[in-house]
């Protein structure tokens, strides 16, 4: 039943006086009640739908569906046209969400493409990074991905620091790092200095020869007795130096699982010098423990000179341009150090694991 204004008992208005005001208030009250009744009658009962609302809802759903279809077609066409334009580039990795059934780009990836004009080594490393991410995760791989993508810009780096294999961006760089960067490992090496020196003297007295495990790298007494060579464990040499080998395994940041890491005794004879060179990467620091350090031996890294000291360590970033010289007299003997490659303190654990996979010596 619907009420109309004619059925409402409206009071008779009086043109003047208080009665006209009260009549107006009564009229407003009745209009309010009538409005509330109409709103209540328009509300649908449970299980019933008003015809007008059903029509409006269906129209809205049809409009929304048509708009979504138009947007989907436009996006598909734009993707197809974009994929046609991407010829000389390698497409980015896409990861599929199995629960939602939707594809998305993980946060490590950007819309910029991996340039095809990069070196073959960079493409090989990028392929290894993709395989690692498929097996584990892309989480924490942002800097590595950025470094591989920008490998083509390696020639634009300043001449003072230019690693020839891989440059990890956004890593703090210093020619010489303070002891606090790897205090535990440095103190452990320095505490075992007497034992390490004794084992070196034992293998040195057997003679420098390839049959005894030595590797000659140049004239004037340049030789290496490797314990780890590019991530490969040298079994015979480590058996000759068991205490040194156990000390290496006790280090927290020793790189012993990929080709970026090495460790061994390095000799440089009097009058010898090594010309300026760069290390392979800025993801590591090379620790030098002085075993025999005659006078007039100097190491210059990034334009900063330093001298070794027996029983003490130097932390060197060899991705900087560095030179080594031994200008002492012949009777001074060779300069001897234990060189150990340690991770850069700013390289995270996830990145170290990825590097172990990418630079696996067995691959």
């Amino acid at each position: 039943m619907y009420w109309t204004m004619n059925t409402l008992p409206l009071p008779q208005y009086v043109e003047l006086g208080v009665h006209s005001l009260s009549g107006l208030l009564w009229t407003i009250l009745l209009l309010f009640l009538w409005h509330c009744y109409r709103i209540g009658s328009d509300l649908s009962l449970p299980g019933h739908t008003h015809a007008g609302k059903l029509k409006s809802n269906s129209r809205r759903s049809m409009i929304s569906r048509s708009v979504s279809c138009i947007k989907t077609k436009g996006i598909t066409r734009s993707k197809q046209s974009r994929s046609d334009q991407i010829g000389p580039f390698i497409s980015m990795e896409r990861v599929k969400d199995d629960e939602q059934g939707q594809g998305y780009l993980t946060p490590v990836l950007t819309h910029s493409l991996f340039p095809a004009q990069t070196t073959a080594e960079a493409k090989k490393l990028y392929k290894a990074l993709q395989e690692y991410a498929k097996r584990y995760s892309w989480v924490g791989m942002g800097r590595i991905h950025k470094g591989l993508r920008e490998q083509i810009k390696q020639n634009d780096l300043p001449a003072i620091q230019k690693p020839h294999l891989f440059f990890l961006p956004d890593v703090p760089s210093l020619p010489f790092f303070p002891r606090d960067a790897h205090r535990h490992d440095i103190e452990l090496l320095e505490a075992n200095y007497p034992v390490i020196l004794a084992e070196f003297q034992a293998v040195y007295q057997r003679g420098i020869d390839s049959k005894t495990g030595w590797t000659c790298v140049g004239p004037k007494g340049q030789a290496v007795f490797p314990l780890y060579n590019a991530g490969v464990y040298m079994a015979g040499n480590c058996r000759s130096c068991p205490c040194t080998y156990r000390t290496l395994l006790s280090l927290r940041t020793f790189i012993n699982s990929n080709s970026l890491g090495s460790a061994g005794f390095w000799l440089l004879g009097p009058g010898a010098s090594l010309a300026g060179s760069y290390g392979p990467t800025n993801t590591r620091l090379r620790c030098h423990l002085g075993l025999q350090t005659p006078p007039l031996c100097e190491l210059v890294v990034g334009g900063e000179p330093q001298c070794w000291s027996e029983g003490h360590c130097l932390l060197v970033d060899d991705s900087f341009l560095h030179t080594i010289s031994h200008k002492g007299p012949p009777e001074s003997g060779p300069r001897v150090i234990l060189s150990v490659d340690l991770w850069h303190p700013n390289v995270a654990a996830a990145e170290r694991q990825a590097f172990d996979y990418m630079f696996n010596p067995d691959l």
Side-chain angles (χ1 to χ4, degrees):
M1 176 179 179
Y2 292 91
W3 289 0
T4 61
M5 295 299 296
N6 296 329
T7 59
L8 296 177
L10 299 178
Q12 299 293 328
Y13 294 160
V14 181
E15 295 182 1
L16 298 174
V18 181
H19 296 286
S20 62
L21 181 59
S22 61
L24 179 61
L25 295 177
W26 273 103
T27 303
I28 295 173
L29 177 61
L30 291 175
L31 288 173
F32 176 76
L33 294 176
W34 176 72
H35 176 70
C36 293
Y37 173 78
R38 289 300 303 270
I39 292 177
S41 62
D42 287 340
L43 293 177
S44 60
L45 296 176
H48 297 78
T49 305
H50 196 272
K53 291 186 177 181
L54 180 62
K55 291 180 181 179
S56 63
N57 292 335
S58 62
R59 290 175 183 174
R60 291 176 183 174
S61 63
M62 291 175 63
I63 292 172
S64 62
R65 290 177 183 175
S66 62
V67 171
S68 63
C69 291
I70 293 172
K71 289 183 177 179
T72 305
K73 291 180 180 180
I75 293 172
T76 305
R77 291 176 183 175
S78 63
K79 287 182 178 180
Q80 291 177 354
S81 61
R82 184 180 178 185
S83 62
D84 295 338
Q85 296 174 359
I86 302 173
F89 293 98
I90 300 174
S91 61
M92 303 294 290
E93 276 293 310
R94 294 186 69 87
V95 182
K96 187 175 182 180
D97 191 349
D98 296 330
E99 297 180 357
Q100 298 180 357
Q102 298 177 355
Y104 66 97
L105 287 174
T106 55
V108 69
L109 301 181
T110 62
H111 295 288
S112 56
L113 301 171
F114 191 77
Q117 61 268 30
T118 53
T119 62
E121 184 66 26
K123 293 179 181 178
K124 180 181 177 181
L125 292 177
Y126 182 71
K127 183 179 179 181
L129 177 62
Q130 288 178 314
E131 294 175 355
Y132 171 84
K134 290 177 182 178
R135 180 174 297 186
Y136 299 101
S137 173
W138 278 106
V139 176
M141 301 297 105
R143 290 195 302 181
I144 300 178
H145 189 275
K146 180 181 178 182
L148 291 173
R149 195 173 62 245
E150 296 179 353
Q151 197 75 2
I152 191 175
K153 301 178 182 179
Q154 198 76 313
N155 293 329
D156 297 335
L157 293 175
I160 194 173
Q161 185 185 24
K162 191 179 295 184
H164 58 79
L165 183 59
F166 177 74
F167 180 81
L168 185 65
D170 305 325
V171 172
S173 298
L174 292 171
F176 294 95
F177 272 71
R179 295 169 55 90
D180 292 339
H182 289 304
R183 178 172 292 275
H184 172 271
D185 291 350
I186 287 178
E187 291 179 350
L188 185 60
L189 288 170
E190 292 177 349
N192 288 275
Y193 161 72
V195 180
I196 296 174
L197 177 61
E199 290 185 342
F200 159 73
Q201 291 174 344
V203 297
Y204 181 69
Q205 290 174 359
R206 292 186 303 184
I208 299 177
D209 189 87
S210 59
K211 296 179 180 180
T212 58
W214 288 88
T215 302
C216 297
V217 296
K220 297 183 179 181
Q222 301 180 44
V224 180
F225 187 83
L227 302 175
Y228 279 84
N229 184 17
V232 178
Y233 161 70
M234 310 301 291
N237 292 358
C238 289
R239 282 194 294 267
S240 300
C241 306
C243 294
T244 305
Y245 170 66
R246 286 194 294 269
T247 302
L248 292 176
L249 295 183
S250 301
L251 302 179
R252 296 176 179 175
T253 58
F254 174 44
I255 305 175
N256 60 353
S257 300
N258 63 63
S259 58
L260 300 178
S262 298
F265 300 116
W266 289 69
L267 274 68
L268 185 67
S273 62
L274 301 180
S277 60
Y278 302 95
T281 180
N282 66 329
T283 61
R284 74 179 191 186
L285 298 180
R286 181 154 279 187
C287 180
H288 290 179
L289 173 63
L291 299 180
Q292 293 181 6
T293 58
L296 302 179
C297 293
E298 188 178 53
L299 169 66
V300 181
V301 182
E304 298 184 16
Q306 284 282 359
C307 295
W308 295 275
S309 178
E310 295 180 357
H312 298 279
C313 291
L314 282 179
L315 276 180
V316 182
D317 187 348
D318 67 338
S319 65
F320 285 85
L321 179 66
H322 58 278
T323 59
I324 302 174
S325 62
H326 182 357
K327 299 179 181 180
E331 60 273 11
S332 62
R335 180 235 58 182
V336 184
I337 61 170
L338 172 66
S339 177
V340 183
D341 290 331
L342 307 177
W343 285 111
H344 192 289
N346 193 253
V347 178
E351 294 173 323
R352 298 177 185 182
Q353 184 178 355
F355 286 132
D356 286 342
Y357 186 89
M358 295 167 59
F359 295 97
N360 189 336
D362 297 330
L363 294 180

